[in-house]
Amino acid sequence: MAKGSKVCYPCVMCNDERTPSPPLGYSCECDLPLGRQIELVAEFHAYRIRPARIAYRLGIDIALIESLVAGELDPEKFDHLVRHYRGRRLQQRLKQADRMRGQRSYELRQRAALDFERESEL
């Protein structure tokens, strides 16, 4: 391949007028139904993954992700899912703390509880 030649990846929409942000593949078309996209965005958001990274990893349009996070699109369902995934994340972290012993276990529990409370206030 010649230096400087353009590469058209199959997931990049060639008729899209937007310029993709690096890395290439940012504005991929996602073939998942809207409900599944909302669930995935809620799960990634609960794990504190940035919207641009979610868009890159899943191929979901960044505008959709930002509208969900801002509460402009289906806020009740999205908030419910985020609370569910945050609770699940807390349970995973507590289960991980159970495998530890002593001070390390106590610190992990305290950090998990503090993070959960801080995220619940948002």
Side-chain angles (χ1 to χ4, degrees):
M1 180 176 280
K3 200 174 197 177
S5 64
K6 281 190 162 186
V7 176
C8 187
Y9 292 95
C11 66
V12 176
M13 298 179 298
C14 294
N15 60 357
D16 191 5
E17 297 300 320
R18 298 178 293 175
T19 56
S21 294
L24 204 60
Y26 170 82
S27 57
C28 291
E29 206 172 328
C30 185
D31 59 351
L32 297 172
L34 181 62
R36 182 67 180 139
Q37 289 181 25
I38 292 172
E39 290 174 10
L40 289 171
V41 171
E43 183 174 6
F44 277 68
H45 182 66
Y47 281 79
R48 290 191 248 168
I49 299 188
R50 295 169 305 167
R53 186 70 183 155
I54 298 171
Y56 173 69
R57 289 176 72 178
L58 300 177
I60 298 173
D61 189 18
I62 188 76
L64 173 67
I65 296 169
E66 289 177 347
S67 67
L68 285 168
V69 171
E72 298 168 357
L73 179 68
D74 210 356
E76 297 86 21
K77 179 179 180 181
F78 185 73
D79 289 341
H80 173 72
L81 287 170
V82 169
R83 279 193 307 273
H84 167 73
Y85 286 120
R86 283 182 178 157
R88 194 170 88 179
R89 181 170 183 242
L90 174 66
Q91 294 304 317
Q92 288 174 342
R93 292 177 74 183
L94 292 176
K95 211 178 269 190
Q96 182 181 15
D98 286 343
R99 292 186 211 127
M100 305 288 178
R101 297 214 182 273
Q103 185 68 25
R104 181 71 179 148
S105 174
Y106 175 76
E107 290 173 358
L108 287 175
R109 286 176 187 282
Q110 293 298 316
R111 190 176 312 135
L114 181 65
D115 286 346
F116 182 73
E117 286 183 26
R118 187 178 318 131
E119 290 171 355
S120 297
E121 294 171 358
L122 301 175

